[in-house]
Amino acid sequence: MEEKNNLTAERSLEIIRESIERSQRTIARNSSLSFIWWGACVVVFALLIAYLWKNHGGPAWNVLWAAMWLMGYFGEKIICKQKEPVPTTFVSKTIGHVWSTFGIFMGAIGFIMGLVGCGVLPGIHVKMAMSDAHLYINLTSIISLCFGIASTITGFIIKNRIVQICGIVAGLGGFFCALQYPWVEQLYVMAVVAIVGLVVPGLVIYFQNQK
């Protein structure tokens, strides 16, 4: 009887493992179009905002990022209809939580910095100990780093090395590159981060699935 229970327990664990692996494979396949879509949205809006910033009114055009989010969200809904259905599992929930956390933090930071830029809130700076220097917030660096972390974690969850590597390169590369460029030039950095971290892994996964 005890041997039978052990076999049942082992079989149960095997079923759970197979279910998780199947979910990981399906999510990885489904992620290709989402990566490409969101990457394309970021690239297009980054370049558009950069152009408008330079030629028609300055940083106020950053408000268009909200329009990008809406466009990306509804576009994602259309893309989801073409995806292979995936049952709700621990894997899918965890990935959802990772990107929801990223969205909440970045949305909150962007909103607060927008209020600062509009003069609603006083300028934010951190006085460094034993120094008169001030450390100012570089929003593009923060977004790039957090995006890279979220993307890399997603790659580990779905066990996809391409997503992991692209997330690391995009996150760290975007963080340090954004520190080298002022103002509008950072939008070009954001476009490159989107290409490396979203479009490239999306295309790789898509063409892998076509074989």
Side-chain angles (χ1 to χ4, degrees):
M1 186 62 152
E2 183 178 351
E3 182 178 354
K4 183 177 180 181
N5 288 335
N6 288 336
L7 288 174
T8 301
E10 290 176 2
R11 179 55 184 161
S12 298
L13 290 174
E14 184 180 351
I15 292 173
I16 294 172
R17 179 182 58 79
E18 291 174 352
S19 176
I20 292 175
E21 290 178 351
R22 185 164 55 250
S23 178
Q24 289 171 326
R25 290 192 297 269
T26 303
I27 292 173
R29 287 195 300 270
N30 285 347
S31 65
S32 62
L33 292 179
S34 294
F35 280 159
I36 294 170
W37 169 248
W38 279 102
C41 285
V42 174
V43 171
V44 169
F45 273 82
L47 297 179
L48 174 62
I49 294 170
Y51 171 78
L52 294 172
W53 183 328
K54 276 186 172 181
N55 300 286
H56 300 284
W61 287 105
N62 277 308
V63 70
L64 289 178
W65 286 116
M68 186 222 72
W69 182 86
L70 290 174
M71 180 177 172
Y73 176 79
F74 288 110
E76 176 74 12
K77 291 295 182 182
I78 296 173
I79 292 173
C80 283
K81 295 179 181 179
Q82 306 173 22
K83 292 180 179 179
E84 179 182 349
V86 183
T88 301
T89 63
F90 173 78
V91 175
S92 60
K93 284 183 177 180
T94 302
I95 292 175
H97 292 157
V98 168
W99 287 103
S100 295
T101 302
F102 169 78
I104 290 170
F105 273 78
M106 293 303 98
I109 291 174
F111 178 74
I112 293 171
M113 294 302 292
L115 294 178
V116 171
C118 295
V120 177
L121 293 178
I124 296 176
H125 62 270
V126 180
K127 191 172 238 182
M128 301 175 68
M130 305 298 293
S131 172
D132 291 331
H134 291 79
L135 176 65
Y136 289 91
I137 295 174
N138 187 313
L139 187 57
T140 305
S141 287
I142 294 173
I143 292 175
S144 298
L145 183 62
C146 291
F147 163 78
I149 292 172
S151 182
T152 304
I153 291 173
T154 300
F156 279 113
I157 293 173
I158 63 177
K159 293 186 177 180
N160 189 292
R161 195 170 298 277
I162 295 296
V163 177
Q164 295 170 20
I165 294 173
C166 288
I168 292 171
V169 173
L172 293 177
F175 176 80
F176 289 108
C177 285
L179 294 175
Q180 307 303 313
Y181 296 98
W183 299 103
V184 68
E185 283 75 14
Q186 292 182 12
L187 290 167
Y188 301 129
V189 175
M190 183 64 68
V192 174
V193 167
I195 291 172
V196 175
L198 292 171
V199 177
V200 170
L203 289 173
V204 172
I205 294 171
Y206 177 81
F207 286 114
Q208 284 178 340
N209 293 334
Q210 303 306 307
K211 296 179 181 180

